[in-house]
Amino acid sequence: MRTVQSAARPPPGGPLMTRPPVRTGSAGAAGAVHFSLLGPLTARRDGRELPLGPRKQRLVLATLLSRPNTPVAVDVLTDAVWPDDPPRTARKNLQVYISAARALLGPAGDGGADRLVHGCGGYQLRIAESELDTLRFGALARAGRAAAERGDVAGAARLLREALDLWEGPPLHDLRDSAGVAEEADRLEARCLTVYEDWAEAEIELGRAAVAVDGLRDLVERHPLRERLRAAWMNSLHQSGRQAEALAVYDDYRQLMARELGLEPSPAMAGLYRSMLGRGREARRPAVSRETTCPVALPAGTGAFTGRREELRDLLDVLGGGEERVVVVSGPGGAGKSALAVRAAQLLADPFPDGRVHVRVRREDGTARGRAEILAELGRWCGVAEARAEAPGPVAGAEVPASAGALAALAEAWQEWQARHRALVVLDDVPDEACVRGLLPRSGKCAVMVTARGQLPGLAPVHRIALPALADGEALELLGKLIGAGRLRTDPGAALRIVRACGGLPLAVEVSGMRLAVLRHLPLAEYADRLDDPSAALDELVAGDVSVRHRIASGWRDLADGDRWVLGRLAGLAEDGCFTLDRATVALGCGERAAIRAVESLIDAGAVTSPAGEVTAHAALYEVPRLLCLFAREQAATGEQGAGALGPVAGRTGAPAVALSPG
């Protein structure tokens, strides 16, 4: 493993770049093959480079390696090798190339099984993480980001640097004349650039900006419009005492944006520039306690973040202007609340110089974390350690108070810290008001962003932002980022059907995009037909370990039993999920007042949407979002409207909002 100090060398592709020693990883057996895509396409066995054959055979191998352990359709391979006019013998030629590749690569490392297999979905190349640099790169990058989220910035920098040591220049640069391979190469390079930005920001956070300056300069020269790279370069120059050069970087960027795009730099970039004006060198150095640093613990933002412009502007205006100390961002599961909150926090560095911290209020299984556990994590970030107990708790690197007195002392210490500082805390995925009420600032300049599926009406006074479904244009933009604008243009009508079948839910659109990015042979119209089928839509919205049904089920468990029964009845009112109060009254078999209370309980829980403007309850048109509607009908059809089939109810448990009989 290389050390962090090696980071001072030029970025990948620089003139001094040499190939590092082959990493055998866990495969380690004699004859193991190691493949590389992060540079020219290469394969090595026992340290010796293998001849990969003629160019067309290498194109086939590059296409298979870019989709490891995934069936690749024959049509995809054909397009990669013969993009314009494949010969009549294309399939026969492909079989020859596949046969030659089998002979060259030999069996996989799992007991001699075939490495290259053929099935109904196409050809699949079996590959272990230790055998392919892109898989190893992804694992190291994920581990680095996880370390950063835990607050282990030094560990994050080390892991991200190890990932970057695998990047040796423009991916697959020897085969980019093939459009299919070039598209995959561009995607790989974008991933590498993002990891480089993550690493550079970690080094800057550690006060080691000097190791990143030269590499950032070289990458900005190759990617002049990539703003995050340029911001990191400005920060590294500033921290290194080169303020004039840092300001010049911004001025060059502003002129380039005006000349090339007719645009101004983003508000975040302009804010960074203003913060550097009139200030001398303020390089941060490694500190001995969190009280002397500015904690920044934010998840990496998603490159596919799209839309939400009004809501983002609202967040920046309200929090940046110091008008509100608490903002609640609400919406159903998968609406993009966390992504919006993280994006806003990333842009709010200047108003909150004492830190920005993200804390999840639920565990991975969806259950709520205890107040003591959350306070311990906040205390770890911000140096509030006076009241910690000695016994280790479930939070990595933190300890949970062992007694009520210790908890009270830590809560008071947290309030005192907030009163003395100007920091932003994101409390993400909050089940109910009780989980966070004691964490909100009582005084001072600290601010808190709360994200929740429900409205949390018991929190007041707060600024509220409810996330509606994405507009068609925003949803199409998000889908295009995932499958490519060119493919979107091949059938815009089908693309529109896809995003509408997703109900404009960002998670569902993202999952659709992830599926279509893998199933490149699948026509958009065929996938739209699948989503239009109410009995199959939720089955189609699964990509790897990301499942829309799973996310909806988590929200379903949050509902009280009575609310589930009400939602099941309301979901059956109409195909489009819309209903009036009169229809709800009939479906629920109760009086109007009881129906109003039942519907408004679901609005509070984020399960029913209501009009944005003021309108009487009797005249309003309510709606159950399409995918939640489909899920609720599934539960009603199987008689699983209570807690039984989905496990214990978490969050909004207890008696229903109104006494309604299902009989």
Side-chain angles (χ1 to χ4, degrees):
M1 182 182 296
R2 302 185 182 190
T3 62
V4 172
Q5 283 73 17
S6 68
R9 60 177 173 78
L16 303 181
M17 197 64 201
T18 58
R19 180 176 291 276
V22 175
R23 303 172 188 264
T24 58
S26 60
V33 181
H34 300 270
F35 304 92
S36 177
L37 302 182
L38 299 177
L41 172 65
T42 59
R44 281 189 168 94
R45 179 183 285 118
D46 297 331
R48 293 181 296 103
E49 192 161 325
L50 298 178
L52 298 182
R55 178 180 173 279
K56 289 185 172 63
Q57 182 171 309
R58 286 160 51 224
L59 285 170
V60 170
L61 185 58
T63 305
L64 291 169
L65 284 168
S66 66
R67 301 163 177 81
N69 305 309
T70 302
V72 181
V74 171
D75 289 345
V76 173
L77 294 170
T78 303
D79 289 341
V81 179
W82 299 281
D84 299 322
D85 188 17
R88 291 193 302 273
T89 59
R91 284 183 177 265
K92 183 176 181 181
N93 292 345
L94 274 180
Q95 292 171 356
V96 172
Y97 299 141
I98 293 291
S99 178
R102 279 200 183 102
L104 177 70
L105 303 178
D110 53 348
D114 286 342
R115 182 181 291 280
L116 188 51
V117 297
H118 183 266
C120 59
Y123 290 99
Q124 177 176 332
L125 183 57
R126 295 172 173 173
I127 199 85
E129 178 188 301
S130 59
E131 296 176 314
L132 180 60
D133 60 353
T134 54
L135 292 178
R136 179 67 177 152
F137 181 91
L140 287 167
R142 288 191 296 273
R145 287 165 181 154
E149 290 183 20
R150 295 193 305 269
D152 181 8
V153 183
R158 175 180 53 78
L159 290 164
L160 295 170
R161 181 68 256 175
E162 188 177 350
L164 291 172
D165 283 345
L166 300 173
W167 182 24
E168 301 183 345
L172 297 170
H173 62 76
D174 52 332
L175 298 173
R176 285 191 177 228
D177 51 341
S178 165
V181 173
E183 181 180 345
E184 181 62 28
D186 289 340
R187 186 183 68 83
L188 289 174
E189 185 159 20
R191 287 176 58 194
C192 291
L193 287 169
T194 299
V195 172
Y196 200 96
E197 291 161 342
D198 291 339
W199 167 77
E201 290 169 358
E203 293 290 359
I204 292 167
E205 180 68 18
L206 291 167
R208 302 195 300 231
V211 301
V213 170
D214 292 338
L216 286 166
R217 179 196 60 207
D218 293 342
L219 287 175
V220 167
E221 288 177 357
R222 302 215 301 264
H223 305 276
L225 291 173
R226 194 171 176 100
E227 185 171 288
R228 190 178 170 205
L229 267 180
R230 200 172 279 262
W233 188 23
M234 286 176 64
N235 273 322
S236 64
L237 287 168
H238 186 69
Q239 191 183 94
S240 302
R242 298 157 64 177
Q243 185 187 21
E245 293 175 69
L247 297 175
V249 169
Y250 175 83
D251 194 53
D252 289 344
Y253 180 60
R254 181 181 57 78
Q255 294 181 44
L256 179 66
M257 289 282 287
R259 183 172 64 251
E260 298 291 332
L261 303 175
L263 298 174
E264 289 290 324
S266 72
M269 193 71 167
L272 177 61
Y273 174 73
R274 288 193 301 270
S275 72
M276 292 179 179
L277 282 174
R279 288 182 1 192
R281 177 178 178 178
E282 294 180 6
R284 285 175 293 175
R285 302 194 178 280
V288 296
S289 79
R290 285 277 173 181
E291 275 291 332
T292 60
T293 68
C294 301
V296 178
L298 298 174
T302 172
F305 182 83
T306 303
R308 304 302 190 199
R309 293 174 181 84
E310 291 185 9
E311 292 85 358
L312 181 59
R313 184 163 49 248
D314 192 4
L315 275 174
L316 297 180
D317 289 346
V318 169
L319 292 172
E323 300 171 9
E324 298 283 349
R325 286 208 301 269
V326 180
V327 176
V328 174
V329 179
S330 62
K337 303 179 294 295
S338 300
L340 174 64
V342 169
R343 179 64 171 164
Q346 290 170 337
L347 297 175
L348 285 166
D350 286 345
F352 298 102
D354 294 325
R356 290 158 292 143
V357 176
H358 173 276
V359 176
R360 284 190 57 83
V361 183
R362 295 182 197 250
R363 301 184 180 92
E364 289 298 322
D365 63 1
T367 58
R369 297 170 65 190
R371 182 162 168 248
E373 190 178 336
I374 297 170
L375 272 170
E377 182 173 353
L378 289 168
R380 175 170 62 89
W381 285 123
C382 302
V384 181
E386 299 90 326
R388 289 182 188 167
E390 295 299 324
V395 183
E399 294 160 352
V400 175
S403 67
L407 174 60
L410 183 53
E412 189 60 33
W414 168 242
Q415 288 294 338
E416 291 176 2
W417 190 93
Q418 291 186 96
R420 297 194 311 269
H421 293 80
R422 190 162 188 163
L424 174 64
V425 179
V426 179
L427 298 175
D428 196 14
D429 203 7
V430 171
D432 54 44
E433 297 91 337
C435 288
V436 297
R437 186 173 281 117
L439 306 177
L440 305 181
R442 295 195 295 256
S443 61
K445 297 293 187 180
C446 278
V448 174
M449 258 193 292
V450 174
T451 74
R453 299 167 191 166
Q455 304 278 354
L456 304 184
L459 293 183
V462 299
H463 184 85
R464 299 184 180 277
I465 297 177
L467 294 189
L470 289 175
D472 288 345
E474 292 177 331
L476 288 170
E477 182 183 352
L478 175 57
L479 184 64
K481 284 188 176 182
L482 295 163
I483 68 174
R487 188 175 180 192
L488 199 70
R489 288 193 295 269
T490 61
D491 194 343
L496 183 60
R497 287 173 56 206
I498 289 171
V499 299
R500 287 181 174 173
C502 292
L505 189 71
L507 176 65
V509 177
E510 285 190 19
V511 170
S512 297
M514 289 188 284
R515 289 209 69 190
L516 289 167
V518 173
L519 303 175
R520 303 190 184 194
H521 66 284
L522 183 64
L524 299 185
E526 181 178 335
Y527 189 66
D529 290 341
R530 297 181 189 180
L531 293 183
D532 282 339
D533 180 358
S535 65
L538 291 173
D539 294 326
E540 290 294 329
L541 292 172
V542 180
D545 61 351
V546 183
S547 166
V548 172
R549 178 186 271 110
H550 179 77
R551 186 70 62 85
I552 294 175
S554 176
W556 181 264
R557 287 193 293 268
D558 277 357
L559 297 174
D561 288 346
D563 283 343
R564 294 184 201 172
W565 179 82
V566 170
L567 184 57
R569 298 302 295 263
L570 297 180
L573 288 179
E575 280 299 313
D576 59 1
C578 295
F579 62 91
T580 61
L581 183 61
D582 287 342
R583 298 187 66 196
T585 301
V586 173
L588 299 177
C590 64
E592 182 178 288
R593 185 176 297 276
I596 290 175
R597 292 175 60 197
V599 170
E600 290 180 350
S601 177
L602 291 175
I603 293 173
D604 286 347
V608 168
T609 61
S610 58
E614 292 188 8
V615 62
T616 64
H618 197 275
L621 184 65
Y622 303 96
E623 182 178 4
V624 181
R626 179 178 188 258
L627 298 178
L628 176 57
C629 200
L630 297 181
F631 183 88
R633 290 173 188 168
E634 284 182 358
Q635 302 305 303
T638 57
E640 296 174 351
Q641 295 182 38
L646 292 171
V649 179
R652 290 174 52 87
T653 56
V658 58
L660 295 171
S661 170

